[in-house]
Amino acid sequence: MPLDAGPEGLVLIDPGLSRNFDAICSAITKLGFSPKRVRWVLNTHAHFDHSMVDGLFRRQGASILVGVADADAVERATRVTAKFFDPSIERDYPTTTVDRRIVDGEELRLGNKTIHAISTPGHTAGSTAFYMIADGRNVLFSGDTVLFDSRLGTQDTAYANNRDYLESLRKLSRFTMSLGNVVRWDLLLPGHGAIVLDRAGMDVDKAFDTVRLDMLEGGRIEAAPFATDRYRRLMFGRP
């Protein structure tokens, strides 16, 4: 998704697959911008469906920003990038240079936008959420760490860490900035599926509770918990 960062260019978050490059550029054009104005590409994590097209935008002059623990996957195409899904994608993954390796708490000043990096390991070691304030509302770009209404990123990979994932969700559900005030999430823009335009903290809290219960019960973390009996028993909608 592109963000207008003023005269200096656009910020693009998780542009995705190489085969979608033309479609992405077309969508940017329909918004009234030139695709060549993409100045920064941010990856919430290194999975191929979020980062595979990075190199094509870098050839147009964009800088690539990735969480420090996932940067090597983008630069070298490791098992974190894609092998869990299809070894041929790892083989064919178009590696590119990472221009900035992001660490927890880093403040990114990108054009007229200020974006805060929140390290959220678990789905991958370098998973990173991004936080910004827009029109007085707290916006969370969560990647695959939190999705709409308890849907989760898949944890069925050799390198996923469920304990780290739980702690990352705890961190987001109680996230504080200045003066120790807990941030109330208003908008959620995840890596897949529906976006949330109001009271997004509900989705963060539901994800945390879902994973906490999964781990307490010693079961697998189900990426689609709404398919489980427990979710159907406990399900509640937005008021």
Side-chain angles (χ1 to χ4, degrees):
M1 56 189 72
L3 299 174
D4 181 5
E8 292 186 51
L10 303 176
V11 180
L12 193 59
I13 300 176
D14 283 351
L17 301 169
S18 299
R19 65 171 179 259
N20 293 336
F21 179 70
D22 290 341
I24 296 167
C25 290
S26 177
I28 292 171
T29 300
K30 288 178 181 178
L31 291 172
F33 303 105
S34 167
K36 292 185 178 180
R37 291 194 64 230
V38 175
R39 175 80 181 278
W40 304 275
V41 172
L42 276 62
N43 291 149
T44 60
H45 61 294
H47 283 170
F48 73 99
D49 56 332
H50 294 255
S51 66
M52 197 173 187
V53 78
D54 287 3
L56 295 179
F57 282 103
R58 191 172 190 276
R59 289 180 201 170
Q60 293 189 163
S63 296
I64 309 301
L65 294 78
V66 184
V68 61
D70 272 15
D72 284 349
V74 173
E75 291 194 326
R76 296 192 287 109
T78 68
R79 64 199 301 263
V80 176
T81 309
K83 188 175 181 180
F84 75 96
F85 182 78
D86 183 345
S88 70
I89 293 177
E90 180 181 6
R91 183 187 65 239
D92 299 333
Y93 181 92
T95 58
T96 192
T97 299
V98 172
D99 298 285
R100 186 166 174 179
R101 296 174 177 236
I102 301 168
V103 298
D104 187 37
E106 191 168 349
E107 184 177 271
L108 310 174
R109 295 186 178 272
L110 310 178
N112 62 13
K113 294 290 184 288
T114 299
I115 299 174
H116 303 274
I118 308 171
S119 178
T120 53
H123 184 60
T124 67
S127 285
T128 304
F130 298 104
Y131 162 43
M132 63 178 284
I133 300 173
D135 297 327
R137 306 186 77 197
N138 296 313
V139 182
L140 181 65
F141 299 90
S142 59
D144 289 1
T145 299
V146 178
L147 293 93
F148 169 70
D149 198 34
S150 294
R151 184 181 167 195
L152 306 168
T154 178
Q155 291 297 102
D156 294 334
T157 60
Y159 51 81
N161 186 305
N162 289 346
R163 289 188 178 278
D164 285 349
Y165 190 36
L166 178 64
E167 289 309 307
S168 291
L169 291 169
R170 188 194 309 273
K171 179 180 182 178
L172 290 176
S173 71
R174 304 172 184 177
F175 185 71
T176 61
M177 285 289 287
S178 60
L179 304 178
N181 295 323
V182 176
V183 172
R184 183 197 67 185
W185 300 116
D186 297 305
L187 278 72
L188 179 72
L189 288 88
H192 301 277
I195 64 175
V196 180
L197 299 178
D198 188 32
R199 289 172 286 182
M202 293 175 64
D203 299 84
V204 176
D205 290 344
K206 287 169 95 171
F208 172 56
D209 287 341
T210 298
V211 172
R212 180 176 58 82
L213 288 171
D214 281 342
M215 294 188 66
L216 281 173
E217 294 176 1
R220 66 187 292 270
I221 293 177
E222 174 58 62
F226 39 81
T228 66
D229 289 339
R230 185 181 69 211
Y231 180 86
R232 287 192 289 267
R233 290 196 306 268
L234 300 177
M235 183 173 59
F236 59 92
R238 277 181 159 67

